[in-house]
Amino acid sequence: MPTPVSSARQCLTDEAARALDDAVAVARRRCHSQTTSLHAVSALLSLPTSILRDACARARSSAYSPRLQFRALELCVTVSLDRLPSSKSKTSDDEPPVSNSLMAAIKRSQANQRRHPETFHLYQMHQQLHNSQSSLSCVKVELKHFILSILDDPIVSRVFGDAGFRSTDIKIAILHPPTVSGFQKSMMRFPPLFLCNLPDSNTNRAGFNFPFAVDQGEEDFKRIGQVLAKKTSRNPLLIGVSADHVLAGFTDSLMMGKTDFLPTELQGLNVINIEKEIREFLVGNLSEDMMNLKLKEVRDNIDTCTNSGVILNLGELKLFL
């Protein structure tokens, strides 16, 4: 029997409860009789930044372009939701109850979170203080564990598989988020310098622009976009200890579909990354025929590009020395 949303919400932390509310909103908008794991996935993927979307970006297949694979995933989720039966009898104010499969995922999350080494002793202490046979009732499921259990749903796993993702890879990406070392954090304090149209060291030559610094965060990305949008002298050269970090953040944001910082004329800018293939070719792990095939694929993608353009990432230039 489906579980009322209010009862399911009591098992979740505030962040996870907001994700459940978003899933309920998707089910209500589609006039579905129950809120399922697919509704939760759809709601999480619709957010510009979420644990699930970031994990998918790091666990995606390198055989496809990131934008194409995310579009395929959204299409697969939409098609699966379209197959669910609709209920015309419910009013728009009704909350579609939580399905048995989604509630089972919440219960699994509670059990897994209770057994987690970081919280095991806390729940054991709670059980002893309240003389309770089970401490599951006191476990508030965090968003991370909520998503991990949703990915165990066979229907969700099949939908991700149809789009070229593997649930196991996504779960690993969630469990092991990217870390920033102390040295990298210290480098991030110093914004990079932008050198635009720097032909040589003669400052009296026309076209020389004195380097200037910008603020951190998306301001760096906005400045790169502004330089790329120029009609002339649009070759940004980043120098400084944090230049690599800023460039990686810029390309990663584009690959994840985050383009809010780009000018209007650059919306839809694509990124093609062949750094891995070049490195493997230079060390002898990739044949010349395979490298030529990859370059042909890049040329075809560039020729068929109808958007604002393509950024080709070749990796570190020192590899060619």
Side-chain angles (χ1 to χ4, degrees):
M1 182 176 180
T3 305
V5 176
S6 57
S7 300
R9 194 181 289 118
Q10 295 175 0
C11 304
L12 307 173
T13 61
D14 293 341
E15 187 180 17
R18 286 193 294 270
L20 178 63
D21 291 339
D22 292 339
V24 171
V26 174
R28 184 194 300 119
R29 186 169 61 250
R30 287 178 164 269
C31 298
H32 289 161
S33 58
Q34 297 182 18
T35 303
T36 67
S37 299
L38 282 176
H39 295 104
V41 170
S42 177
L44 289 168
L45 290 177
S46 64
L47 299 175
T49 56
S50 66
I51 296 177
L52 180 59
R53 192 173 185 87
D54 291 342
C56 289
R58 289 184 285 115
R60 67 176 188 83
S61 173
S62 59
Y64 312 100
S65 67
R67 187 180 298 274
L68 179 63
Q69 195 169 9
F70 269 107
R71 286 180 179 175
L73 177 58
E74 293 170 355
L75 178 61
C76 290
V77 173
T78 301
V79 171
S80 298
L81 288 175
D82 291 340
R83 293 173 179 171
L84 296 178
S86 300
S87 176
K88 302 297 184 181
S89 60
K90 289 184 176 291
T91 64
S92 59
D93 296 332
D94 292 336
E95 289 185 331
V98 177
S99 66
N100 292 336
S101 60
L102 182 55
M103 195 62 203
I106 295 176
K107 294 297 184 181
R108 287 197 306 271
S109 303
Q110 286 184 311
N112 293 335
Q113 192 168 318
R114 179 180 178 273
R115 291 192 296 265
H116 198 275
E118 295 180 357
T119 55
F120 177 77
H121 294 292
L122 176 63
Y123 294 128
Q124 286 290 99
M125 186 182 302
H126 184 278
Q127 181 177 352
Q128 293 174 0
L129 289 176
H130 294 80
N131 295 322
S132 174
Q133 296 297 324
S134 175
S135 60
L136 278 180
S137 59
C138 73
V139 178
K140 295 287 188 179
V141 177
E142 299 175 358
L143 180 60
K144 179 178 71 173
H145 294 280
F146 181 48
I147 296 175
L148 289 173
S149 292
I150 288 177
L151 292 172
D152 289 332
D153 191 313
I155 297 179
V156 173
S157 181
R158 177 180 57 80
V159 169
F160 276 96
D162 292 341
F165 292 91
R166 292 193 301 180
S167 296
T168 53
D169 293 340
I170 299 174
K171 291 171 68 174
I172 292 174
I174 294 175
L175 290 172
H176 302 283
T179 57
V180 180
S181 65
F183 177 70
Q184 289 175 320
K185 289 181 179 178
S186 64
M187 291 196 305
M188 291 169 60
R189 299 172 186 169
F190 303 97
L193 297 177
F194 290 82
L195 299 182
C196 305
N197 192 24
L198 180 59
D200 53 33
S201 59
N202 185 1
T203 58
N204 295 323
R205 292 281 299 273
F208 176 84
N209 293 327
F210 190 80
F212 55 92
V214 296
D215 295 331
Q216 290 179 244
E218 286 196 359
E219 290 300 319
D220 293 333
F221 304 159
K222 289 181 181 178
R223 180 56 184 143
I224 296 176
Q226 291 170 0
V227 175
L228 292 175
K230 294 168 62 178
K231 299 300 182 183
T232 59
S233 306
R234 54 179 182 178
N235 297 314
L237 174 63
L238 280 67
I239 64 174
V241 292
S242 62
D244 289 341
H245 175 79
V246 172
L247 179 59
F250 178 77
T251 55
D252 289 346
S253 297
L254 292 181
M255 294 175 69
M256 288 189 293
K258 303 175 184 177
T259 59
D260 296 340
F261 50 82
L262 288 178
T264 305
E265 57 269 28
L266 290 183
Q267 291 295 324
L269 187 65
N270 291 325
V271 176
I272 299 178
N273 189 353
I274 59 172
E275 177 182 4
K276 179 181 177 182
E277 288 79 2
I278 290 178
R279 182 184 295 110
E280 292 182 351
F281 174 72
L282 293 177
V283 299
N285 293 335
L286 189 67
S287 65
E288 184 175 353
D289 292 338
M290 293 299 296
M291 190 67 217
N292 289 333
L293 185 63
K294 184 63 179 179
L295 293 176
K296 182 179 182 302
E297 178 185 342
V298 171
R299 287 194 297 268
D300 293 340
N301 289 335
I302 294 176
D303 292 339
T304 58
C305 179
T306 59
N307 295 325
S308 301
V310 174
I311 292 180
L312 180 61
N313 185 5
L314 303 177
E316 295 285 347
L317 292 179
K318 62 184 180 182
L319 295 175
F320 297 92
L321 301 179

